[in-house]
Amino acid sequence: QHRFGRIVFASSNWVLGGYRFDDGVRLTPDTAPLPVNPYGAAKLFGERYGKQLADRAGISVINLRIGYNQWLRDNQPSAEMELGIWGQMLWLSDRDFCQVLEKAITVPDVRYATLNVTSRTIGSRWDLAETERVLDYVPQDEYRIRTPLGMTLTQGLARLRDRGGARL
């Protein structure tokens, strides 16, 4: 009715949150969804609804599985980021976030896409190849994951807790 041609949906990395401690899985847009909370499940619903709009109404839909932007903390990456290594893998700089939003709005000829959106993070399992291909996205900012001993212990305890092995 309003003749818009594209929806850019702010989805979330939480659609794949169930892979947080599954170190062997490369996280691509085609990885089977595994949300672990209502937020991730709601974002998955939005992605799937967008697919229906693309297929049935001919509207272009781009789902952006947005990484971790610490807008309350000046968005500087560090080993102390929330969610430990998972948060570090997902870091998304302000500059890269703005770039990907602009490209998602203006890119021509995309019927439907679901794309991972992070900055370039050395050691991350989040695959940006499809985002780079579809949007011609080139992350401007880079970060290398750091794992101090305390974080390694914290990650191990969180992994045990999430698998039901301990009550912390």
Side-chain angles (χ1 to χ4, degrees):
Q1 180 180 17
H2 296 287
R3 299 176 195 227
F4 63 90
R6 171 162 301 147
I7 294 172
V8 177
F9 178 63
S11 189
S12 172
N13 62 80
W14 283 108
V15 169
L16 299 177
Y19 295 102
R20 179 176 174 194
F21 298 115
D22 196 345
D23 299 333
V25 176
R26 186 91 179 132
L27 302 169
T28 72
D30 294 328
T31 302
L34 193 57
V36 294
N37 55 34
Y39 180 75
K43 292 298 188 173
L44 177 58
F45 174 82
E47 289 180 12
R48 298 286 166 91
Y49 184 69
K51 178 76 168 119
Q52 291 297 311
L53 288 173
D55 290 346
R56 295 181 183 202
I59 296 170
S60 172
V61 176
I62 298 177
N63 300 311
L64 300 177
R65 288 186 178 160
I66 299 169
Y68 180 45
N69 185 281
Q70 311 172 98
W71 61 276
L72 289 175
R73 294 188 182 95
D74 199 27
N75 201 22
Q76 296 304 309
S78 72
E80 290 76 38
M81 291 169 65
E82 282 186 51
L83 303 173
I85 294 167
W86 183 253
Q88 290 182 66
M89 281 193 283
L90 288 163
W91 178 64
L92 175 61
S93 73
D94 297 340
R95 187 165 59 161
D96 288 338
F97 194 18
C98 289
Q99 177 197 167
V100 83
L101 286 173
E102 180 179 338
K103 288 180 180 259
I105 291 166
T106 61
V107 67
D109 303 323
V110 175
R111 173 62 69 210
Y112 179 82
T114 297
L115 306 171
N116 292 335
V117 182
T118 68
S119 291
R120 175 100 36 230
T121 305
I122 309 304
S124 179
R125 293 184 293 132
W126 289 86
D127 190 311
L128 297 176
E130 187 71 359
T131 312
E132 292 167 347
R133 184 187 70 75
V134 171
L135 299 182
D136 195 29
Y137 173 58
V138 179
Q140 301 298 301
D141 296 304
E142 182 175 286
Y143 176 71
R144 180 177 299 276
I145 293 174
R146 292 170 178 79
T147 54
L149 178 59
M151 177 181 294
T152 303
L153 293 172
T154 301
Q155 287 287 115
L157 289 172
R159 181 180 309 215
L160 185 62
R161 182 197 63 230
D162 280 12
R163 293 194 174 147
R167 299 282 178 225
L168 300 177

